[in-house]
């Protein structure tokens, strides 16, 4: 089968992955084989191919927002032909203290799709059957793909930030994940304040009804109840913290940050303000979010790229030039 293969970390957007032929994966117990019909490109993919996340395999097929059709290994729940989605969390051990206490996102022995196992930048992907989610009809393959990580983890971020209906919420960075989260916030009657770097992202935030839109370093005109940061920058976390009321929470939706700058505890964290990270997702997050996305009719903006142009898709995420989310179509 054709696949985009990552060998060695590089920062040159033209050569992150190479397109080549690899054997189609053999079916394994507890797994289903998918014919991939679309795979979203996530910033985490960029962290993998640029080496911000350490390599864990000599060769890897990235991609963890997989939309595919079951072509082998069918089960009662997933008959042949079922359209399913697969996300970053590709499996857990089910036995560690985190799994036993409803925190499978923190599992001690996790499988990460497109990182510890091969992902969806390919014609076929082998995935654990119990981590494949049947997808609601209504959204086509390309538009449903960004929901699978950007959407689910964006939704989890709102919960980690403790957002309540009617609150003032800041979104710092406005890529794929934030542009999906804003629709949920609006359905909760929240006022949304967006600070982001790219002019295109600011336009998108305005067009989606943000109450206020500013540049990366601008401070929202009101104190916020909650903030979620999406940019992989510690500086942005500090500016989010500086915009909070007492008792407010910043949730960091980033698997990797450049670094956390020093900040003034007395002014910024005192007053029971909190900083929390958002790690991975649970299957319950996925089910809840997919149901909400269906009921709110969330339709991401996407730019599609053929598999041969996987490097161009990754570069579009890096340079924030993709309109909405980048999606690879094998
Ligand atoms: Zn576990
Ligand atoms: Zn992701």
């Amino acid at each position: 089968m054709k696949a985009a293969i990552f060998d060695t970390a590089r920062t040159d957007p033209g050569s992150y992955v190479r397109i080549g032929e690899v054997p189609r994966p053999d079916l394994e117990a507890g797994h289903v084989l998918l014919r991939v019909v679309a795979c979203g490109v996530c910033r985490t993919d960029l962290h993998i191919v640029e080496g911000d996340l350490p390599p864990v395999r000599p060769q890897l097929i990235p991609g963890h927002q997989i939309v595919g059709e079951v072509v082998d290994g069918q089960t009662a729940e997933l008959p042949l032909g079922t359209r399913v989605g697969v996300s970053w969390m590709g499996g857990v051990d089910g036995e560690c203290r985190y799994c036993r206490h409803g925190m499978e996102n923190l599992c001690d022995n996790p499988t990460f799709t497109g990182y510890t196992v091969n992902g969806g930048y390919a014609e076929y992907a082998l995935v654990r059957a119990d981590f494949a989610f049947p997808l609601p009809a209504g959204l086509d393959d390309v538009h449903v793909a960004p929901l699978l990580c950007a959407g689910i983890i964006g939704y989890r971020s709102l919960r980690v930030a403790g957002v309540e209906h009617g609150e003032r919420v800041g979104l710092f960075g406005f890529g794929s994940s934030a542009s999906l989260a804003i629709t949920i916030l609006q359905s909760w009657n929240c006022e949304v304040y967006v600070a982001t770097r790219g002019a295109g992202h600011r336009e998108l935030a305005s067009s989606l009804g943000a109450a206020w839109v500013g540049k990366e370093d601008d401070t929202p005109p009101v104190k916020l109840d909650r903030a979620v940061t999406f940019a992989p920058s510690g500086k942005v976390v500090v500016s989010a913290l500086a915009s909070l009321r007492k008792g407010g929470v910043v949730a960091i939706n980033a698997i990797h940050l450049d670094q956390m700058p020093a900040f003034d505890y007395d002014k910024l964290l005192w007053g029971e303000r909190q900083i929390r990270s958002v790690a991975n997702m649970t299957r319950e997050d996925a089910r809840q979010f997919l149901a909400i996305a269906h009921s709110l009719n969330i339709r991401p903006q996407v730019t599609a790229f053929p598999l041969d142009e996987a490097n161009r898709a990754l570069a579009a995420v890096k340079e924030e030039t993709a309109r909405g989310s980048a999606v690879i179509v094998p």
Side-chain angles (χ1 to χ4, degrees):
M1 67 173 185
K2 193 198 275 189
I5 303 149
F6 163 66
D7 303 294
T8 313
R10 290 173 216 275
T11 48
D12 166 21
S15 60
Y16 290 134
V17 290
R18 63 184 164 84
I19 307 300
E21 284 291 322
V22 294
R24 198 167 104 167
D26 292 326
L27 188 65
E28 290 174 21
H31 290 65
V32 286
L33 182 68
L34 305 182
R35 184 176 68 81
V36 179
V37 292
C39 186
V41 179
C42 175
R43 182 169 283 279
T44 299
D45 301 345
L46 201 58
H47 290 315
I48 292 169
V49 298
E50 291 202 328
D52 295 323
L53 297 183
V56 291
R57 299 164 57 92
Q59 255 195 10
L60 172 72
I61 300 171
H64 61 265
Q65 303 190 89
I66 308 174
V67 182
E69 184 189 288
V70 175
V71 293
D72 201 1
Q74 63 171 317
T75 64
E77 296 80 41
L78 302 175
L80 284 186
T82 310
R83 188 176 74 141
V84 297
V86 180
S87 188
W88 172 245
M89 213 67 191
V92 296
D93 60 10
E95 291 171 357
C96 73
R97 61 171 294 168
Y98 299 103
C99 286
R100 285 187 281 110
H101 291 88
M103 297 180 280
E104 68 180 12
N105 60 304
L106 302 179
C107 177
D108 281 332
N109 299 293
T111 299
F112 295 126
T113 313
Y115 184 44
T116 64
V117 296
N118 283 332
Y121 291 11
E123 290 175 309
Y124 293 87
L126 186 69
V127 303
R128 254 176 70 164
D130 52 350
F131 280 77
F133 309 103
L135 293 172
L139 266 187
D140 60 72
D141 303 332
V142 170
H143 287 89
V144 85
L147 302 184
L148 293 165
C149 178
I152 295 167
I153 295 187
Y155 168 67
R156 182 174 179 86
S157 306
L158 302 184
R159 292 189 34 237
V160 169
V163 176
E164 291 180 21
H165 287 232
E167 286 191 322
R168 289 172 166 162
V169 181
L171 302 178
F172 290 76
F174 202 76
S176 183
S177 203
S179 67
L180 297 170
I182 193 171
T183 309
I184 299 178
L185 288 169
Q186 286 163 335
S187 77
W188 294 347
N189 296 315
C190 292
E191 266 176 27
V192 184
Y193 296 78
V194 175
T196 192
R197 183 159 58 102
H201 286 186
R202 288 196 292 276
E203 275 164 35
L204 182 60
S206 297
S207 74
L208 293 175
W212 172 89
V213 180
K215 291 188 190 151
E216 199 185 7
D217 296 326
D218 293 347
T219 308
V222 296
K223 286 290 179 193
L224 304 175
D225 299 299
R226 319 281 162 184
V228 181
T229 68
F230 297 90
S233 147
K235 207 169 136 238
V236 170
V237 175
V238 175
S239 59
L241 195 57
S243 66
L244 286 186
R245 64 156 166 84
K246 285 178 279 188
V249 180
V250 176
I252 305 173
N253 179 341
I255 194 168
H256 163 81
L257 283 191
D258 50 0
Q259 60 167 356
M260 272 301 289
F263 61 85
D264 185 331
Y265 169 82
D266 300 19
K267 277 194 192 137
L268 296 188
L269 200 57
W270 169 252
E272 299 199 341
R273 294 174 178 91
Q274 296 178 54
I275 305 179
R276 302 187 63 186
S277 65
V278 181
N280 314 319
M281 43 156 300
T282 64
R283 280 171 282 184
E284 191 51 30
D285 293 327
R287 289 185 203 105
Q288 284 180 13
F289 171 73
L290 290 170
I292 291 172
H294 186 57
S295 71
L296 296 178
N297 206 9
I298 292 181
R299 186 181 169 84
Q301 297 201 11
V302 302
T303 307
F305 297 85
L307 180 56
D308 288 328
E309 294 181 18
N311 282 315
R312 210 159 65 79
L314 284 158
V317 170
K318 180 183 169 102
E319 286 146 20
E320 302 188 349
T321 51
R323 191 171 159 76
S325 310
V327 175
I328 289 173
V329 181

